[in-house]
Amino acid sequence: MKNIKTTIKRTSVAILALAAISFQGCNLDLNLQDRLVEESVWSDPSTAELYVSGMYGVFQKFQFGNFPNLGYNNAMDALADGMKFTSNTLGNGTVNTLISNSNYFSPATVGLNFWNPGFVGIRRVNEMLEGVRTKSKLSEEQKIMYEAEGRYVRAYTYFWLAKLHGSLPIFRSLGDYNSKDKPRSSEQEVYDFMIEDLTFAAENLPKTNLSGRATKGAAYGMLSRVALYAGSIAKYDNKQFNMDALTGIPQAKAKDYFGIAANAAAKVVELAEEGLYALDADFAEIFRKKDTKEAIFRVDYLAPNITHDYDLGYVPPRDAAGNALVYGVPTAELVDEFEMADGTKFSWSNPVHAANPYNNREPRFEATILHNNSIWKGRVVNTTEADVVEGFVEFGKSGDPKRTVTGYYAKKMLDPNNTTFVVNKSTQSWVEMRYAEIVLVLAEAKAQLDDYASATTYINMLRNKRGLNAISVSGNTQAMQAIEHERKVELAFEGHRFWDLRRWRKAHIELNGKKMTGHKITGLGTGYTYEVVSADAVNRSFTGKLYYLPIPENEVQLNLGLDQIFGW
């Protein structure tokens, strides 16, 4: 952990203070001793606010389903079964390398690595908490507010680390950095620590819906997400995949965590009943307008300085004169998951469905998927092999085909009005947490608590808003099947599916020894034929060992108190 201790020294506070002062045009003839400069930061409300605002940068690391060391939007969905990355070259195709061979995960390469930036961010939060408590001249009310925000950000950061490694060192305060040799705490202790932080945040943050900042609803929502994950691990892991003494959560604790998740999600529902949040009637517009009440925590962008490149990465090629990057495209497995408009399951075995597979599908389908004959930006999309610009091409025929390898493009979150994104980039918001997720968390937590009547109520709350029929669930298996379906469809391309399969301990079943598929379409007009084709060159590889990823090798070497996760 040496680099955790030394990367963010107190001089970072001095640099921040100097930056803030220079922006204000003040005298720079200052005593640069660490303590004096640090105290000047916390004594000035404007620089304190600048520091606290900077902590939220961690959310941009995961914007649009990105994972920091992979560097591509939707990378997390491409690790699962809903999206296929099109490239097989180094860089653009790194995700395909990871999903094809579990041996690429090791202490030397890790595969998914957030350790150093995660713990650097945690150190920054702890510096803020210490400064606000002991050095600031802020009001007591403002101190509590900043502490609540800091603990929210700290829990969010720990959650990403915990999803990867389970057992982690816990840093509660700057005193914990006095020794570089910090051991791991148990996975249960890590989750309890996050729950403690988020409970404090939820109790002390305001009832607002403010872009880019923690609020009461965001804290209760995050608390429900974290506790649901802990409950899932307790229920489904059972030491089946790793015998490390510190990983796993006792099965007897499952209902305790599901109870915490249900109670926290219910608090968000109460805020919705007060008018703060709501399910949006127009599914497509959730991801395009900045005033949607679905957004509980969102990151906004503003041209020309604060932008992103989501559209460039995912539009069909003709949107950019054939120069779109098309990093990833939806799989047939996702496309087939969308129901018919009447709520029946879509099936290629049904001759009516198979003759016109994109007709009479549920509303979320057209808002999520661009398919053959979709109307997009005033033109008809042609994904047949005959279209050499944006039609189907077999995966592996080109290193970077920059077109669909499944017969589909991802429509959700694209801006249909943005025609200048190549030059001016994009500004639609990233919704990190939305009300629909919390409704599904509540449904799942209630089902896991054997309250199937309540689970049915919340599943149907979402389905009814999406224009679908009500259903009824009884028994855990049926309830979880319905919830998994809703999460796969509702939350597609929002970075949840890979982690859902991991927490349910289903990833080794759904993502191992299989090839995802697409549809090669041939013909014209009403004479189309749909051939199921592989979108993977080799079978995917996910072993039970990957539920707890290794700690980076250099961190174990630097921290003599840190032992490697068992089995690595």
Side-chain angles (χ1 to χ4, degrees), residues 373-498:
N373 286 334
S374 284
I375 304 299
W376 175 247
K377 294 186 177 178
R379 72 176 193 276
V380 178
V381 175
N382 180 356
T383 64
T384 69
E385 194 175 31
D387 190 323
V388 297
V389 176
E390 56 191 20
F392 171 85
V393 60
E394 183 181 341
F395 175 72
K397 288 290 186 181
S398 169
D400 281 296
K402 295 183 173 60
R403 53 197 269 211
T404 183
V405 296
T406 64
Y408 304 100
Y409 292 95
K411 182 178 182 181
K412 184 178 181 179
M413 295 187 289
L414 294 179
D415 183 351
N417 300 312
N418 188 347
T419 58
T420 63
F421 57 83
V422 175
V423 175
N424 297 324
K425 297 192 174 183
S426 305
T427 58
Q428 59 267 47
S429 299
W430 162 242
V431 183
E432 164 63 31
M433 177 177 288
R434 60 188 178 93
Y435 187 48
E437 179 200 346
I438 302 307
V439 171
L440 289 172
V441 167
L442 187 49
E444 183 175 345
K446 288 294 187 181
Q448 298 288 27
L449 293 168
D450 305 320
D451 183 356
Y452 303 114
S454 293
T456 297
T457 295
Y458 292 110
I459 292 171
N460 287 330
M461 179 188 294
L462 179 64
R463 286 180 64 84
N464 293 344
K465 200 67 176 183
R466 301 300 181 234
L468 287 164
N469 60 305
I471 63 172
S472 180
V473 298
S474 59
N476 192 267
T477 299
Q478 185 185 39
M480 289 304 298
Q481 286 174 344
I483 289 162
E484 180 175 352
H485 163 77
E486 291 299 332
R487 288 185 68 91
K488 187 174 182 179
V489 170
E490 176 75 23
L491 304 177
F493 313 147
E494 295 180 53
H496 291 276
R497 176 66 174 168
F498 180 64

Side-chain angles (χ1 to χ4, degrees), residues 115 119 158-170 184-192 194 229 233 237 242 244 246-249 499 502 505 546-551 565:
W115 189 277
F119 278 108
Y158 257 110
F159 187 44
W160 280 108
L161 290 163
K163 288 194 291 186
L164 294 171
H165 310 289
S167 166
L168 302 162
I170 293 176
R184 291 187 284 132
S185 294
S186 73
E187 187 167 11
Q188 181 179 338
E189 289 171 325
V190 172
Y191 274 92
D192 288 344
M194 290 185 278
Y229 208 103
I233 294 168
D237 183 75
N242 193 296
D244 190 286
L246 296 174
T247 61
I249 298 174
W499 307 104
R502 285 172 60 90
R505 297 305 189 247
L546 298 184
Y547 287 120
Y548 292 102
L549 296 184
I551 298 169
I565 303 290

Side-chain angles (χ1 to χ4, degrees), residues 59 152 198 201-202 205-206 208-210 213-225 268 271 276-277 296-298 433 438:
F59 289 91
Y152 174 84
L198 291 167
L205 287 167
T208 59
N209 197 349
L210 182 65
R213 296 295 284 257
T215 62
K216 187 175 292 292
Y220 275 124
M222 193 65 199
L223 176 56
S224 72
R225 186 190 281 179
V268 182
L271 294 173
L276 201 58
Y277 309 116
I296 295 176
F297 189 102
R298 75 179 192 274
M433 177 177 288
I438 302 307

Side-chain angles (χ1 to χ4, degrees), residues 534-547:
S534 175
D536 288 323
V538 297
N539 284 344
R540 298 197 176 196
S541 176
F542 188 105
T543 64
K545 187 177 181 179
L546 298 184
Y547 287 120

